[in-house]
Amino acid sequence: MYTDKVLDHFANPRNVGELTDANGVAEIGNPTCGDITRIYLKIEDNIIKDIKFKTFGCAAAVASGSMLTEMAKGKTIEEALKITDEAVAEMLDGLPPQKMHCSNMAAEAMQAAIENYKEKLGA
Amino acid sequence: MYTDKVLDHFANPRNVGELTDANGVAEIGNPTCGDITRIYLKIEDNIIKDIKFKTFGCAAAVASGSMLTEMAKGKTIEEALKITDEAVAEMLDGLPPQKMHCSNMAAEAMQAAIENYKEKLGA
Amino acid sequence: MRKIYFDHSATTPVHPDVAEEMFRYVSEIFGNPSSIHSFGREARKAVEAARSKVAQGIGANPEEVVFTSGGTESDFMAIRGVAYANRKNGNHIITSAVEHHAVLDTCKALEKEGFELTILPVDGYGMVSPQDLAKAIKENTTLITIMHANNEVGTIQPISEIGAIARERGVLFHTDAVQSMGKIPVNVNELLVDLLSVSGHKIYAPKGVGALYIRRGIRWRPLNFGGGQERKRRPGTENVPGIAALGKAVELAVKDMEEENKRLTFLRDKLIKGILDTISHVRLAGHPTMRLPNHVNLIFEFIEGESMLLRLDMQGVAASSGSACTSGSLNPSHVLLAMGIPHEIAHGSLRLTLGRSNTEEDVDAFLSMMPPIVEQLRAMSPLC
Amino acid sequence: MRKIYFDHSATTPVHPDVAEEMFRYVSEIFGNPSSIHSFGREARKAVEAARSKVAQGIGANPEEVVFTSGGTESDFMAIRGVAYANRKNGNHIITSAVEHHAVLDTCKALEKEGFELTILPVDGYGMVSPQDLAKAIKENTTLITIMHANNEVGTIQPISEIGAIARERGVLFHTDAVQSMGKIPVNVNELLVDLLSVSGHKIYAPKGVGALYIRRGIRWRPLNFGGGQERKRRPGTENVPGIAALGKAVELAVKDMEEENKRLTFLRDKLIKGILDTISHVRLAGHPTMRLPNHVNLIFEFIEGESMLLRLDMQGVAASSGSACTSGSLNPSHVLLAMGIPHEIAHGSLRLTLGRSNTEEDVDAFLSMMPPIVEQLRAMSPLC
Ligand SMILES: Cc1ncc(COP(=O)(O)O)c(C=O)c1O
Ligand SMILES: Cc1ncc(COP(=O)(O)O)c(C=O)c1O
Ligand code: FES
Ligand code: FES
């Protein structure tokens, strides 16, 4: 059911953990399944210097978190905001239909974390 | 489904054929399946000296004809009339439930043939 | 004693390659396809591979194939599923008088539940007339179910003609291809059918597995609910060994069809000619040319089918008289009666259905065996 | 990599003796049991011998056993068959919140068709209360269906108590014994049930075969019609290899039960204790003592079942999280939720179900494998 890419990112997830010096953090609950993903961002000069995630979720959620953080790292905020859940799923060589919603969580959590960063900046 | 006894009487049916000198003959059609049995009797001094049958019927009909004729041969008319279809079936070590009606045909045909003999006698 | 099996329409032995495929999934790759671990994933792979093979064998897409427990289940799933799902649009079903009991009895049960049923007559060859069918379609007709090839007399129905009419009139069309599969081409798009039933054990796969083709997008609904298997169309843990076997069997059947078809047609015709030439008062039941290549049904007057069967059996030949399913019944075959064959003559039907294992020697042995049997039985018959 | 299969509640490998029995009827004795020739008669003999074995295994008469395509079919045949047949007398059905989907979804489908449905709650162990049941019975109640042992948490229900109530109140009682068969005693007269479901592939027989016990004389009717097989209770050519296998499997299961029961209980308890002793925030789901001897369900807080399953799978261990049938679903098990376990905690369930092949080494290997997996996953969890 899962692609080799998904299983690889699940077995060896990239960027797992917390950032103590994060300047953007958000947690998203998945309305479909009740799972949770949290994203930590370290943004400097509008660029995502570092990003980490934690998830209470299925293998697709773990792999999506891993893949999304890989994709976002080094990007500008604007570029990062363009990363869709479909793009994450595609980079994982696809997700099973009933697991497509799992990739949402990672992308949405990142968007919320950027929002959080902007709010703090504005504050 | 059939007992060895049935199969034996089917494979080597006793008393098959006609009696040219019969003094009692009758044919019975089976209302359940549309099959037919004919019995020829040679009665002397109230005793069934010879009996033969023909049947257009299933293996149970053939075996019943064979067994019934064996059972009836040498009996008095009164004794012969006491042979029931159940008795025939029993002597065959039983018949499948949906084939019980096949043994009727033989017994009934013999009863009708005895009737025929009596009628001729009375006439 | 040499055994000759002439009852391939009743069931077939599992082909060695099919058995091998089946056995792989019995003790070795035994997972539940719904399990996410490797045991489960391997089983899932086998099921989906088989689905593709079956789909390919009938010209369908894999998602249009649902695995069932056999031809009977495929039939009633098709018929009830369409009947119930379309009840709002109409409640009239059309079938034919020569269908297998799985179809006919399902239709009759629906009639008792309030559906309207038209049972089309057949001609002396057991053939349904497309004209009759066209006339029978009404405003409220939602389903036509006519078999591809008849199990008792081997007659092949004009399915694509019927399919064209059904399509033009907007009526869903199911065909029972249990007997035709592997013997003549079966393609859902050429036959213009919306649902099609297949049974494993008639094509050298094991008993207990079948498939139902359900055209994408048609209005059909499942009958039962449970674990969500087969995309919620048929609940219950998948019969993985059976399904894998069915996939293999369809693959083989299609691959070998042309050659087997030729070979069996030759044997069939030799058998028919041999009997008609040597025994009097015998007729062929079913269509002389529009018939399955492996199918012989001969009617011997004055004698009864069961007696012939048992005599043959004692000499090692397995044959049947009408459908195996109905041989427990006492009535002569509803198919023969529908063809207008009188009751007492219908009793004398002998069905000989050839298959992979049969050779010309089998036919020759049978041809020399049959005349004395008929003679002996006729000597016993009050009708002679 | 050494493979450890801890998912025997999802499915089991076919036992070698059972496979041998099955294979005899695949290519060698391959007849259709409805055929009257010797091929058919041998197949019929096999079916009836298997029926006797299954009957003996559950304390029934052979005529009370009907073969089906599996546990799911047995369940819906039992439930729909009683519901429809008794509709004139009442239309109220009672079931429990922890039934398998085959039962629960069938009951819910009947509710949509106009039947009245009561779904009994369970306690924290997943246990139905006979008192609740007694209260739920009404004038119009015609059927109670409560499973013998639960597939997800292993809890054994007080079936004979419920059976006594049902009998006293004149209500027909069905139990799904798919998980209990072969693990604890299953006797229809001791359990006081009128219908009982069994599935082959849970007891080392193949997938695609099951049995339904229908007590003689009860009001039940078949759902489908066709060739008249199984004394008109279940149409379709009999799955002879599967049926023969089921007979053998029931025989073996009953013969070995006492010993296996002891052996598995020891392994089960060692496994549970081992995990509870070494990992924090873990609880056992289901009843501590009224549970299947082979059944472990542990809930690990802060982590998600699927992740555990896949980690274990990568190390060669097959386990499950809730029912295999529902692992495609995203919702936490309806069983755990019915037991009052909160949504996010229910997500952390790991089901380990032992069987014939498992040894103490398997348990030890698992016990040393699990702590680092949990640690790693918890490190990833935002809840920690
Ligand atoms: C034409 C036809 N349809 C349906 C069936 C039933 O299929 P199965 O035996 O797989 O239940 C048969 C075989 O008996 C058949 O010949
Ligand atoms: C309790 C219970 N009932 C019914 C079933 C369904 O049985 P089957 O898989 O044979 O369809 C299962 C297994 O999935 C089960 O565990
Ligand atoms: S994140 Fe919840 S199921 Fe995938
Ligand atoms: S005599 Fe007609 S079925 Fe036996």
Side-chain angles (χ1 to χ4, degrees):
Chain A
M1 101 199 237
Y2 286 127
T3 64
D4 290 344
K5 207 77 160 275
V6 171
L7 292 175
D8 171 42
H9 276 265
F10 167 71
N12 308 293
R14 285 60 147 174
N15 311 311
V16 168
E18 311 189 358
L19 286 179
T20 40
D21 58 347
N23 53 9
V25 179
E27 185 173 297
I28 282 284
N30 192 322
T32 312
C33 62
D35 290 338
I36 293 166
T37 292
R38 191 185 296 155
I39 293 271
Y40 300 84
L41 291 175
K42 174 71 190 164
I43 298 176
E44 269 173 35
D45 300 336
N46 205 40
I47 283 172
I48 298 178
K49 284 285 179 197
D50 206 358
I51 176 168
K52 289 212 181 280
F53 81 102
K54 281 189 145 190
T55 194
F56 170 72
C58 69
V62 174
S64 298
S66 171
M67 180 53 82
L68 173 104
T69 51
E70 284 280 276
M71 289 165 76
K73 204 185 284 187
K75 289 226 161 65
T76 64
I77 289 183
E78 291 69 30
E79 284 168 343
L81 284 173
K82 285 192 193 129
I83 302 174
T84 60
D85 38 352
E86 286 91 359
V88 173
E90 209 171 284
M91 287 293 284
L92 290 167
D93 295 341
L95 285 173
Q98 79 276 20
K99 292 287 190 173
M100 282 306 294
H101 74 278
C102 310
S103 61
N104 292 357
M105 213 164 45
E108 277 181 36
M110 181 190 66
Q111 286 151 19
I114 291 175
E115 206 57 46
N116 173 259
Y117 162 77
K118 286 183 179 167
E119 270 167 29
K120 281 192 198 158
L121 212 65
Chain B
M1 100 200 235
Y2 287 127
T3 64
D4 289 344
K5 206 78 158 276
V6 171
L7 291 176
D8 171 43
H9 276 265
F10 167 72
N12 309 294
R14 285 58 146 177
N15 311 311
V16 168
E18 311 189 358
L19 286 178
T20 42
D21 58 347
N23 53 9
V25 178
E27 182 173 298
I28 282 283
N30 191 322
T32 313
C33 60
D35 290 338
I36 294 167
T37 292
R38 190 185 299 156
I39 293 271
Y40 300 83
L41 291 175
K42 174 71 191 166
I43 298 176
E44 271 174 34
D45 299 334
N46 205 39
I47 283 172
I48 297 178
K49 285 285 177 198
D50 204 358
I51 175 167
K52 289 210 181 282
F53 81 101
K54 281 190 143 189
T55 193
F56 169 72
C58 70
V62 174
S64 299
S66 171
M67 179 55 82
L68 172 104
T69 51
E70 284 280 276
M71 290 165 75
K73 204 184 281 187
K75 290 226 161 64
T76 63
I77 288 182
E78 290 70 29
E79 285 167 341
L81 284 172
K82 285 192 192 129
I83 301 173
T84 60
D85 40 352
E86 285 90 359
V88 173
E90 209 171 283
M91 288 293 284
L92 289 167
D93 295 341
L95 284 173
Q98 79 276 20
K99 293 286 190 174
M100 282 306 293
H101 74 278
C102 310
S103 60
N104 293 358
M105 214 165 46
E108 277 181 35
M110 181 191 66
Q111 286 152 20
I114 291 174
E115 206 57 44
N116 174 259
Y117 163 78
K118 287 182 178 168
E119 271 167 28
K120 281 191 195 157
L121 212 66
Chain C
M1 185 170 52
R2 168 144 172 248
K3 293 260 188 179
I4 300 178
Y5 188 74
F6 274 167
D7 202 9
H8 291 84
S9 288
T11 195
T12 58
V14 176
H15 187 289
D17 295 358
V18 173
E20 197 184 306
E21 180 76 6
M22 177 181 182
F23 296 168
R24 290 182 62 204
Y25 298 97
V26 165
S27 309
E28 192 188 331
I29 305 180
F30 67 87
N32 185 323
S34 296
S35 299
I36 78 170
H37 46 64
S38 66
F39 295 81
R41 293 197 304 270
E42 286 193 68
R44 167 63 52 210
K45 238 186 262 169
V47 169
E48 298 315 322
R51 199 186 308 281
S52 293
K53 285 180 194 170
V54 172
Q56 199 175 346
I58 60 171
N61 297 309
E63 325 85 71
E64 296 175 313
V65 172
V66 179
F67 291 113
T68 69
S69 70
T72 297
E73 182 176 342
S74 296
D75 282 342
F76 66 65
M77 253 175 73
I79 296 169
R80 284 190 188 272
V82 168
Y84 295 148
N86 292 277
R87 202 164 194 172
K88 274 189 205 147
N89 312 324
N91 70 340
H92 180 228
I93 298 166
I94 301 175
T95 187
S96 89
V98 295
E99 299 300 309
H100 189 269
H101 282 292
V103 166
L104 212 48
D105 292 359
T106 299
C107 289
K108 286 179 182 167
L110 285 171
E111 194 179 21
K112 278 200 195 141
E113 292 177 29
F115 285 86
E116 195 185 332
L117 180 63
T118 297
I119 302 179
L120 295 176
V122 294
D123 66 16
Y125 296 132
M127 192 82 91
V128 169
S129 137
Q131 284 76 14
D132 285 357
L133 175 94
K135 270 184 249 159
I137 298 175
K138 306 194 294 181
E139 262 302 288
N140 61 338
T141 309
T142 55
L143 174 68
I144 297 165
T145 171
I146 307 281
M147 71 202 315
H148 193 188
N150 185 272
N151 47 307
E152 296 194 34
V153 297
T155 299
I156 299 166
Q157 303 291 349
I159 294 302
S160 26
E161 273 181 73
I162 295 172
I165 297 169
R167 194 156 288 187
E168 195 197 309
R169 304 287 291 273
V171 179
L172 292 175
F173 180 30
H174 166 250
T175 198
D176 175 335
V178 165
Q179 292 293 343
S180 55
M181 190 68 211
K183 285 165 209 137
I184 54 173
V186 173
N187 180 298
V188 295
N189 294 316
E190 283 163 20
L191 295 175
L192 299 170
V193 296
D194 300 303
L195 304 103
L196 182 142
S197 303
V198 170
S199 171
H201 74 103
K202 311 282 188 183
I203 57 168
Y204 307 91
K207 293 165 187 60
V209 67
L212 175 61
Y213 160 77
I214 308 175
R215 187 176 291 278
R216 201 185 341 218
I218 68 163
R219 199 186 289 270
W220 174 90
R221 75 170 181 70
L223 306 184
N224 292 298
F225 306 94
Q229 290 92 346
E230 294 293 285
R231 302 149 117 245
K232 306 203 172 169
R233 291 173 297 182
R234 201 278 184 182
T237 300
E238 297 88 339
N239 175 357
V240 184
I243 288 170
L246 181 60
K248 186 74 186 173
V250 167
E251 184 180 79
L252 286 178
V254 171
K255 182 166 76 68
D256 299 345
M257 192 180 66
E258 216 178 294
E259 208 175 296
E260 268 297 280
N261 192 321
K262 243 185 264 166
R263 198 180 72 84
L264 292 173
T265 302
F266 169 77
L267 295 182
R268 176 194 75 184
D269 293 343
K270 177 166 187 183
L271 201 161
I272 295 172
K273 188 168 182 310
I275 292 293
L276 294 180
D277 283 355
T278 54
I279 303 178
S280 69
H281 292 91
V282 184
R283 60 182 91 174
L284 179 71
H287 202 281
T289 56
M290 288 298 289
R291 73 184 298 128
L292 290 174
N294 70 322
H295 203 296
V296 178
N297 190 323
L298 293 163
I299 300 186
F300 296 80
E301 286 182 41
F302 318 130
I303 52 181
E304 224 257 2
E306 195 193 79
S307 295
M308 281 188 278
L309 294 193
L310 284 175
R311 293 270 161 193
L312 285 169
D313 183 49
M314 286 166 177
Q315 299 187 46
V317 178
S320 98
S321 176
S323 164
C325 302
T326 57
S327 69
S329 137
L330 303 163
N331 294 319
S333 142
H334 69 285
V335 174
L336 299 175
L337 296 182
M339 287 160 60
I341 296 170
H343 197 279
E344 70 282 8
I345 292 177
H347 263 302
S349 133
L350 181 71
R351 182 182 75 169
L352 305 154
T353 45
L354 315 184
R356 282 184 185 263
S357 72
N358 295 134
T359 60
E360 195 164 356
E361 274 169 46
D362 291 349
V363 172
D364 291 339
F366 175 80
L367 287 177
S368 63
M369 209 179 279
M370 205 57 202
I373 290 179
V374 172
E375 199 175 331
Q376 208 184 0
L377 290 174
R378 283 188 176 161
M380 220 191 274
S381 170
L383 302 179
C384 283
Chain D
M1 186 169 51
R2 171 146 169 245
K3 294 261 187 179
I4 300 178
Y5 188 74
F6 274 166
D7 202 10
H8 290 84
S9 289
T11 195
T12 58
V14 176
H15 188 288
D17 295 359
V18 173
E20 197 185 307
E21 180 76 5
M22 177 181 182
F23 295 168
R24 289 182 62 205
Y25 298 97
V26 165
S27 309
E28 192 188 332
I29 306 179
F30 67 87
N32 185 323
S34 296
S35 298
I36 76 171
H37 47 64
S38 66
F39 295 81
R41 292 197 305 269
E42 286 193 67
R44 167 64 54 212
K45 239 186 261 168
V47 169
E48 298 315 322
R51 199 187 308 282
S52 295
K53 285 181 193 168
V54 172
Q56 200 175 344
I58 59 172
N61 296 310
E63 325 85 72
E64 296 175 313
V65 172
V66 179
F67 291 113
T68 69
S69 70
T72 296
E73 182 176 342
S74 296
D75 282 341
F76 66 66
M77 252 175 73
I79 295 169
R80 284 190 188 271
V82 168
Y84 294 148
N86 292 277
R87 201 163 194 174
K88 273 190 203 143
N89 312 324
N91 70 341
H92 179 227
I93 299 165
I94 300 175
T95 187
S96 89
V98 296
E99 298 300 310
H100 189 269
H101 282 290
V103 167
L104 211 48
D105 292 359
T106 299
C107 289
K108 286 181 183 167
L110 286 170
E111 195 179 21
K112 279 201 194 142
E113 293 176 28
F115 285 86
E116 196 186 332
L117 180 63
T118 298
I119 302 178
L120 296 176
V122 293
D123 67 14
Y125 295 132
M127 193 81 93
V128 169
S129 138
Q131 286 75 16
D132 286 356
L133 175 94
K135 270 184 252 160
I137 297 176
K138 305 194 296 180
E139 265 300 288
N140 62 339
T141 308
T142 55
L143 174 67
I144 298 164
T145 171
I146 306 281
M147 72 202 315
H148 192 189
N150 185 273
N151 47 307
E152 295 194 33
V153 298
T155 298
I156 299 166
Q157 302 292 349
I159 293 303
S160 28
E161 273 181 74
I162 294 172
I165 297 169
R167 193 156 289 187
E168 196 198 308
R169 305 287 292 273
V171 179
L172 292 176
F173 179 31
H174 165 250
T175 196
D176 175 336
V178 166
Q179 291 294 342
S180 55
M181 189 69 211
K183 286 167 207 135
I184 54 174
V186 172
N187 180 299
V188 295
N189 294 315
E190 283 163 20
L191 295 176
L192 300 170
V193 295
D194 300 302
L195 304 105
L196 181 142
S197 304
V198 170
S199 172
H201 74 102
K202 311 284 188 182
I203 57 169
Y204 306 91
K207 294 164 186 61
V209 67
L212 175 62
Y213 160 77
I214 307 175
R215 187 177 291 278
R216 201 181 346 214
I218 68 163
R219 198 185 290 270
W220 173 91
R221 75 168 182 72
L223 305 185
N224 292 299
F225 306 94
Q229 291 91 348
E230 295 294 287
R231 300 152 114 243
K232 304 204 174 170
R233 291 173 296 184
R234 201 278 186 184
T237 300
E238 298 88 339
N239 175 357
V240 184
I243 288 170
L246 182 61
K248 187 74 188 173
V250 167
E251 185 181 79
L252 286 178
V254 171
K255 182 167 76 66
D256 298 345
M257 193 181 65
E258 217 177 293
E259 208 176 294
E260 268 298 279
N261 193 321
K262 243 185 264 165
R263 198 180 71 83
L264 291 174
T265 302
F266 169 77
L267 295 182
R268 175 195 74 183
D269 292 344
K270 177 164 187 186
L271 200 161
I272 294 172
K273 189 168 181 313
I275 291 292
L276 294 180
D277 283 356
T278 54
I279 302 180
S280 68
H281 294 92
V282 184
R283 61 181 91 175
L284 180 70
H287 202 282
T289 56
M290 289 295 290
R291 74 183 299 126
L292 290 174
N294 71 322
H295 205 296
V296 178
N297 190 324
L298 293 163
I299 300 186
F300 296 78
E301 286 182 41
F302 318 130
I303 52 181
E304 224 256 2
E306 194 193 80
S307 295
M308 282 187 279
L309 294 192
L310 283 175
R311 292 270 162 194
L312 285 168
D313 183 48
M314 286 166 177
Q315 298 188 47
V317 178
S320 98
S321 175
S323 163
C325 302
T326 57
S327 69
S329 139
L330 304 163
N331 295 318
S333 141
H334 69 285
V335 174
L336 299 175
L337 296 181
M339 287 160 62
I341 295 172
H343 198 278
E344 71 281 9
I345 292 177
H347 263 300
S349 133
L350 182 71
R351 182 181 77 169
L352 304 154
T353 44
L354 315 183
R356 281 184 185 265
S357 73
N358 295 134
T359 60
E360 194 164 357
E361 274 169 47
D362 292 348
V363 172
D364 292 339
F366 175 80
L367 288 177
S368 64
M369 209 178 280
M370 204 57 200
I373 290 179
V374 172
E375 197 174 331
Q376 209 183 357
L377 289 173
R378 283 188 177 161
M380 222 191 276
S381 170
L383 303 178
C384 283

